[in-house]
Amino acid sequence: MSVAGLRKQFYKASQMMSEKVGGAEGTKLDEDFKDLEKKADVTSKAISDVLCKTAEYLQPNPASRARLTMVNTMSKMRGQVKSPGYPQAEGLLGECMLKYGRDMGEDTNFGGALVEMGEAMKRLAEVKDSLDIDVKQNFIDPFQTIVDKDLKDIQHHLKKLEGRRLDYDYKKKRQGKIPDEELKLAAEKFEESKEVAETSMQNLLDTDVEQVSQLTALVESQLQFHRQSVEVLEELAKSMRERVNKAQSQPRQKRMPASRPSFDCLEPEDSNGGWSPSAAPSSSPSTAAPSFNRASSRQKRNMTDQPCCKALYDFEAENDGELGFYEGDVITLTNQIDENWFEGTVHGQTGLFPCNYVEVMVPLRH
């Protein structure tokens, strides 16, 4: 830096200290300039903040944004043309649904629905990627140009204006010690910087029509995104309703379990080896044994006279009022509801069960 430049920096620093510490007053800018500067400052902040929030709106995950920025930077350094895009939440959900749907099998109702919805979510992710591209081209890039050029130019001109004002005020306070020509030159430079800064701020405010046009482009991109999303979701909802109707119209399949061994305590051959009166040795004629045998026969006859049926398969009660039982159980019949359902009792429980699961041993009396 030249001696003149160093001297000028000294003048500005001295004047700033006088104003900050000593309370000296500098040259006041007119009210029109201050009003213009205030409007330009609000516009600058609006453009910068809206630009930042738009990026967050398109890519809400800050960690993913930071990772994507780093990857894009590395791709540029390596000369790679194509870089990975932002991982859309719809795409991640779609991948999850596709994985588990295929694991379950597309032939199952739930698995097939997961696969179908996963594919729809992947389509939504592609639609979101299209929104990102449209908004970047038609909104973010034009706003970024304003930030990179117009706003930086305004800041540069205002900073230069402040420096020339300090230089002019320092020389003006020392009028008589500073050559008049030098003071006049400082005043001219100050007015020149003021005019340039004023023009740059006015130009920014005059481009509000372009800025509104860019906002309109943002709205159009969002509208197109939502239209395409609605098309995908309506198609998916229709398919899901068809799946539900189809599943509800199909008859419910009953589980047919493997047969279990039957243990009928009423049959002599099913005895577990316990003592029975008929097997006991008779040492002498007695009236007690015949009395016991007559009571046992009467009890067995009363049991077999009661309406009953024998379970052919296991039946698991799925609704309130149904009676569950195992294959081989002997169920006491109490009523026949219709041609498909009996009412009966077994294991101390009473309820309804399907007729085709049992074989009637003693029919109901009408």
Side-chain angles (χ1 to χ4, degrees), residues 86-99:
Y86 178 82
Q88 303 291 356
E90 294 85 351
L92 298 177
L93 178 57
E95 290 288 353
C96 176
M97 289 181 168
L98 285 171
K99 176 183 180 301

Side-chain angles (χ1 to χ4, degrees), residues 67 70-84:
R67 190 183 307 112
M70 181 186 68
V71 171
N72 289 338
T73 303
M74 296 298 295
S75 298
K76 290 179 181 179
M77 293 174 60
R78 295 170 181 171
Q80 297 175 351
V81 178
K82 189 175 181 180
S83 58

Side-chain angles (χ1 to χ4, degrees), residues 20-37:
K20 298 291 184 182
V21 179
E25 290 189 2
T27 301
K28 298 293 184 181
L29 297 169
D30 57 81
E31 292 299 323
D32 290 340
F33 185 90
K34 290 181 179 180
D35 184 60
L36 185 63
E37 184 179 12

Side-chain angles (χ1 to χ4, degrees), residues 204-231:
L204 174 66
L205 298 179
D206 289 343
T207 58
D208 59 346
V209 176
E210 297 179 9
Q211 293 152 14
V212 173
S213 299
Q214 288 147 12
L215 285 173
T216 304
L218 173 62
V219 174
E220 292 291 342
S221 297
Q222 290 177 302
L223 186 58
Q224 180 67 14
F225 161 72
H226 288 294
R227 282 174 180 161
Q228 294 177 349
S229 298
V230 167
E231 290 178 3

